[in-house]
């Protein structure tokens, strides 16, 4: 079989989506403290490694094909991609894998600065297997919400073109559950050092995410017309969301911020994800504004309600994911064979009920399953680092590395063994031999 333009586009789109996870690493890494930046980036990178293996072995099989109770596919049907040999099949598996990778990586931002890397490395494959793959099957693999699924036949198929439920609501709910189980960072809401250490990294990460999102939304386009609409909507919604977020900051705080601009872009991208092929460009603009304003307001609720969603995964991905998913029931344009249109286009309440059901089931399923997984890990190996490790910083205590060398006059300080940094003791000689620069690096 010849390599067609369609094959090439999906491979390019898959590469763009894979590139989004390193972009997320920069986005999240810049939002943490300096002494947690590498750990934050590593949580994204290890997700690529683990999910890449899981998806080839059993993840892909669980998200498609014949299933159990319309909830999950058979993990052994195409184990190790056995029986999948056509270009179309293999390329689609690769494209789907990149979605699974970034979904679990999104969760990590909520537990920045305090999660054990080993516990996270166990959580990733279990969560992808028991939460992501089944939900992907229910929505995209012919399960509950498909045309032949029980909910799909009763309410009509839910529209989720690129992952409002499967990716963003799923990740946002899981993030909230992990935060509630693991607990808040020391000094949450009081320590002024809990702030982004590198805003340029955040801006770079947001730019990479926006760039990759054109593949995220557009990779599954089936016609040139649909592809063009998706491209414009993927431009329009985040642009409008950024403006909405910045205006909200200006009114509420008196000044717009770079962090707000980057966060607004992501909120708009999240909101347009499920709706990118089914709303007009003007609808995408309106959706973006609503998502930008709503997420800008939502991120402040963590301080009022006392849950430490470190990097605003709940406020951005859960909130904007719900907005984008439910909005389809109002502003979806009529499309033959897909939807009669949303409420505002004369389609009645049919599509709205389907969207509400999909969002509701995704929330409940993700919350229950994530709670079981996280609670089991937390009560066995432990999900949280010790107080001493958190004080030193998870980069040094978990990886024996630092993102930056804080030296004197441009020169690095003397090496200090890891056990001394964690315990505060120097077994060789007096503390005076430890350079001041070394002490400062621990507090960075």
């Amino acid at each position: 079989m010849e390599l067609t333009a369609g094959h090439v586009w999906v491979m390019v789109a898959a590469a763009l989506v894979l590139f989004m996870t390193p972009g997320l690493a920069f986005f999240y890494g810049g939002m943490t403290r300096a002494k947690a930046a590498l750990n934050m980036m590593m949580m994204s990178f290890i997700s690529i490694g683990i999910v890449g293996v899981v998806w080839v072995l059993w993840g892909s099989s669980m998200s498609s094909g014949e299933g159990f109770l319309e909830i999950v596919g058979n993990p052994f049907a195409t184990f190790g991609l056995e029986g999948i040999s056509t270009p179309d099949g293999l390329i689609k598996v690769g494209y789907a894998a990149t979605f699974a990778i970034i979904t679990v990586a999104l969760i990590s931002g909520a537990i920045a600065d305090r999660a054990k890397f080993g516990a996270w490395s166990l959580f990733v494959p279990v969560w992808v297997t028991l939460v992501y793959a089944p939900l992907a099957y229910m929505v995209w693999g012919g399960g509950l919400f498909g045309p032949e699924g029980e909910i799909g036949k009763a309410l009509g198929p839910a529209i989720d073109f690129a992952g409002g439920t499967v990716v963003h609501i799923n990740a946002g709910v899981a993030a909230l559950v992990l935060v509630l189980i693991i607990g808040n960072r020391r000094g949450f809401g009081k320590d002024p050092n809990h702030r982004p250490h590198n805003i340029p990294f955040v801006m770079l990460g947001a730019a990479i995410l926006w760039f990759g999102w054109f593949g995220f939304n557009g990779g599954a386009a089936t016609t040139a017309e649909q592809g063009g609409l998706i491209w414009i909507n993927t431009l329009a919604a985040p642009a409008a969301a950024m403006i909405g977020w910045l205006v909200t900051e200006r009114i509420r705080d008196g000044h717009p911020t770079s962090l707000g601009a980057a966060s607004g872009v992501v909120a708009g991208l999240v909101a347009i994800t499920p709706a990118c092929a089914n709303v007009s460009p003007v609808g995408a603009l309106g959706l973006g504004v609503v998502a930008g304003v709503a997420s800008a307001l939502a991120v402040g609720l963590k301080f009022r309600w006392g849950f430490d969603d470190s990097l605003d995964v709940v406020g951005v991905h859960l909130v904007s994911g719900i907005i984008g998913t439910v909005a389809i029931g109002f502003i979806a344009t009529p499309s033959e064979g897909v939807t009669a249109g949303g409420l505002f286009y004369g389609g009645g309440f049919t599509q709205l009920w389907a969207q509400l059901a999909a969002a509701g089931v995704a929330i409940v399923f993700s919350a229950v399953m994530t709670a079981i997984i996280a609670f089991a890990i937390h009560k066995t190996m432990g999900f949280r680092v010790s107080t001493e490790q958190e004080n030193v910083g998870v980069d040094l205590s978990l990886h024996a590395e630092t993102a930056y060398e804080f030296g004197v006059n441009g020169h690095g300080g003397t090496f200090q063994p890891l056990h001394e940094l964690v315990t505060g003791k120097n077994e060789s000689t007096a503390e005076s031999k430890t350079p001041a620069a070394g002490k400062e690096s621990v507090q960075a």
Side-chain angles (χ1 to χ4, degrees), residues 192-251:
N193 291 316
H194 286 305
R195 61 179 184 268
H197 86 282
N198 193 324
I199 296 297
F201 270 14
V202 178
M203 302 290 281
L204 173 62
I208 294 174
L209 285 169
W210 199 349
F211 174 71
W213 224 290
F214 288 98
F216 193 86
N217 285 349
T222 56
T223 66
E225 292 79 7
Q226 187 181 62
L229 177 64
I230 291 171
W231 202 101
I232 292 298
N233 286 347
T234 306
L235 170 69
M242 175 173 56
I243 294 172
W245 190 301
L246 292 177
V247 170
T248 301
E249 281 189 330
R250 180 66 178 83
I251 294 172

Side-chain angles (χ1 to χ4, degrees), residues 12-390:
V12 170
L16 289 171
V17 181
L18 182 61
F19 188 44
M20 289 171 65
T21 300
L24 181 72
F26 276 102
F27 184 75
Y28 279 172
M31 290 176 70
T32 63
R33 294 181 291 179
K35 61 184 180 181
L38 289 181
N39 174 259
M40 191 73 263
M41 299 181 84
M42 276 292 290
M43 291 174 83
S44 286
F45 272 83
I46 196 64
S47 298
I48 298 175
I50 293 174
V51 179
V53 172
V54 167
W55 208 254
V56 168
L57 292 179
W58 64 82
S60 174
S61 185
M62 292 180 67
S63 65
S64 60
E66 294 296 323
F68 301 109
L69 302 175
E70 299 182 344
I71 294 175
V72 65
N74 181 355
F76 303 107
T78 56
F79 186 87
L81 305 186
E82 183 70 26
I84 301 178
S85 58
T86 65
D88 286 337
L90 291 171
I91 292 169
K92 287 178 180 177
V93 168
Y95 183 55
T98 62
F99 278 67
I101 288 167
I102 195 166
T103 301
V104 71
L106 288 172
I107 302 169
S108 65
I111 53 174
D113 287 359
R114 62 197 185 279
K116 290 182 179 178
F117 189 69
W120 173 254
S121 298
L122 175 60
F123 174 82
V124 168
V126 177
W127 189 87
V128 167
T129 300
L130 300 181
V131 185
Y132 179 86
L135 195 54
Y137 182 84
M138 284 186 254
V139 176
W140 295 327
L144 283 174
F145 295 102
E148 301 302 319
E150 290 301 316
I151 295 178
K153 288 189 290 187
L155 300 176
I159 295 174
D160 185 357
F161 192 83
T165 53
V166 181
V167 177
H168 299 294
I169 292 178
N170 196 8
V173 170
L176 179 59
V177 170
L178 281 186
V179 167
L180 296 178
I181 290 176
I182 295 175
N184 298 347
R185 290 168 293 178
R186 295 178 68 255
F188 167 65
K190 300 176 182 178
D191 186 351
N193 291 316
H194 286 305
R195 61 179 184 268
H197 86 282
N198 193 324
I199 296 297
F201 270 14
V202 178
M203 302 290 281
L204 173 62
I208 294 174
L209 285 169
W210 199 349
F211 174 71
W213 224 290
F214 288 98
F216 193 86
N217 285 349
T222 56
T223 66
E225 292 79 7
Q226 187 181 62
L229 177 64
I230 291 171
W231 202 101
I232 292 298
N233 286 347
T234 306
L235 170 69
M242 175 173 56
I243 294 172
W245 190 301
L246 292 177
V247 170
T248 301
E249 281 189 330
R250 180 66 178 83
I251 294 172
R252 181 187 61 193
D253 308 322
H255 46 263
T257 67
S258 300
L259 180 61
S263 299
V265 165
V266 175
L269 289 166
V270 170
I272 197 59
T273 292
C276 58
N278 299 97
V279 300
S280 69
V282 172
L285 290 173
L287 179 58
V289 170
V290 172
V293 172
S295 285
L297 296 174
V299 296
L301 294 178
K302 64 182 181 182
F303 298 106
R304 181 177 300 178
W305 292 347
F307 66 93
D308 186 10
D309 172 22
S310 305
L311 308 184
D312 302 323
V313 182
V314 178
V316 174
H317 292 275
L318 178 56
V319 171
S320 288
I322 291 174
I323 289 172
T325 298
V326 175
I328 294 171
F330 293 97
I331 62 174
T333 55
S335 177
E336 185 176 353
V338 178
T339 178
L343 185 62
F344 296 167
Y345 283 85
F349 288 91
T350 301
Q351 195 63 55
L352 180 59
W353 296 135
Q355 299 307 121
L356 288 169
V361 171
I363 290 170
V364 173
F365 180 79
S366 182
V368 172
M369 294 302 296
T370 303
I372 293 172
I373 297 167
F375 190 77
I377 294 174
H378 193 53
K379 291 300 180 181
T380 52
M381 67 183 296
F383 220 129
R384 182 166 184 149
V385 299
S386 67
T387 300
E388 291 78 13
Q389 289 174 315
E390 189 174 346

